[in-house]
Amino acid sequence: MKYTVYPVHTMLRESQDIPSVAVVIDTLRMTSVAATALQNGCERLRAVGTVEEARELAAAFDALLGGERGALKIPGFDLSNTPQEYRPEAVAGRKLVMTTSNGTQAIESACRAEKLYLGCLRNAGAVAECLRGEAEVALVLAGTGGRFSLEDALTAGAIMDRLGPGEMDDMAMAAWTLYRQNRGDLHSLLSQCRHYQKLVRLGLEEDVAFCLQEDVCGSVPMRCADNWFVDVRRELK
Ligand code: MLT
């Protein structure tokens, strides 16, 4: 397997690269929300860049609206970016349209990829299973405000760890090494990081704890031809 890690999604957006397989990672919290929603029975979800676009799509498809700006719920939206809100009672059988500050922007940056998945620590093992047999993968880190975020790199490291060693660019090597050095206690390292600290300041420690659990979710959001994401397990049935 050949691994390429884009430390911030804008690098992919600005390049000519067209990955055959890409995984977008926004561990805190958008891709954790997406995996949780699909695991809990959300029928399909769409990720868009702007609040206006989200409102229009949700109205057209009778979908729930979820996401955040400044990590807080958007006025008039049904759900915030707290993954624990995406319970079966809230999302089962419903379509969901999301817009967030970084995660959904990163998905737009990776839209040229032929196959596109969403990864987080919660579904790291399940993502690795989807990737097994592929020749190469681009791991696209959402970051925060156009800057690198360590939690996304650790998640890339976790996915590579589940898959096993391969040909790595330097960023992939850094992510993999850092994950292996800190596995078992990601909180200690991440508690010094910007987005973790911001969420804790906002009283969202439970979100952080939820998002840093590893391999507890078997659902992997996979983009379909119509740009909606579905659980890969549903598509494989
Ligand atoms: C994002 O997409 O920017 C994040 O998920 C931010 C957040 O934690 O709400």
Side-chain angles (χ1 to χ4, degrees), residues 32-213:
S32 300
V33 168
T36 304
L38 292 184
Q39 181 182 36
N40 287 339
C42 169
E43 186 199 299
R44 50 187 55 225
L45 78 88
R46 188 80 178 261
V48 299
T50 68
V51 173
E52 295 67 35
E53 218 180 330
R55 287 192 204 282
E56 278 170 27
L57 259 180
F61 288 92
D62 188 27
L64 293 168
L65 273 169
E68 56 71 39
R69 284 296 181 271
L72 301 174
K73 188 172 174 183
I74 299 166
F77 273 39
D78 302 294
L79 298 156
S80 74
N81 207 28
T82 284
Q84 307 92 295
E85 284 180 16
Y86 291 72
R87 293 183 298 275
E89 311 86 88
V91 299
R94 297 294 310 272
K95 295 185 182 70
L96 169 67
V97 177
M98 292 193 72
T99 182
T100 66
S101 311
N102 303 282
T104 64
Q105 318 297 327
I107 291 168
E108 290 199 337
S109 295
C111 68
R112 293 192 306 271
E114 287 161 30
K115 291 188 199 168
L116 183 57
Y117 301 102
L118 305 184
C120 56
L121 286 168
R122 294 181 63 81
N123 72 359
V127 170
E129 286 315 308
C130 291
L131 299 176
R132 222 171 273 291
E134 300 287 0
E136 54 186 317
V137 60
L139 298 155
V140 183
L141 312 190
T144 307
R147 291 163 67 190
F148 175 75
S149 272
L150 200 54
E151 66 274 8
D152 295 335
L154 288 172
T155 302
I159 294 169
M160 288 185 274
D161 184 67
R162 307 308 187 258
L163 272 165
E167 186 186 331
M168 297 183 186
D169 69 357
D170 286 15
M171 191 60 223
M173 178 63 75
W176 185 61
T177 305
L178 206 61
Y179 174 74
R180 290 172 73 87
Q181 286 170 350
N182 292 279
R183 65 186 317 164
D185 186 17
L186 301 183
H187 276 274
S188 296
L189 179 63
L190 291 176
S191 61
Q192 300 162 57
C193 294
R194 255 179 336 137
H195 197 51
Y196 182 114
Q197 291 181 345
K198 176 176 178 179
L199 293 175
V200 170
R201 272 200 309 278
L202 290 168
L204 299 169
E205 303 82 341
E206 281 180 24
D207 294 37
V208 173
F210 186 91
C211 293
L212 297 193
Q213 289 180 315

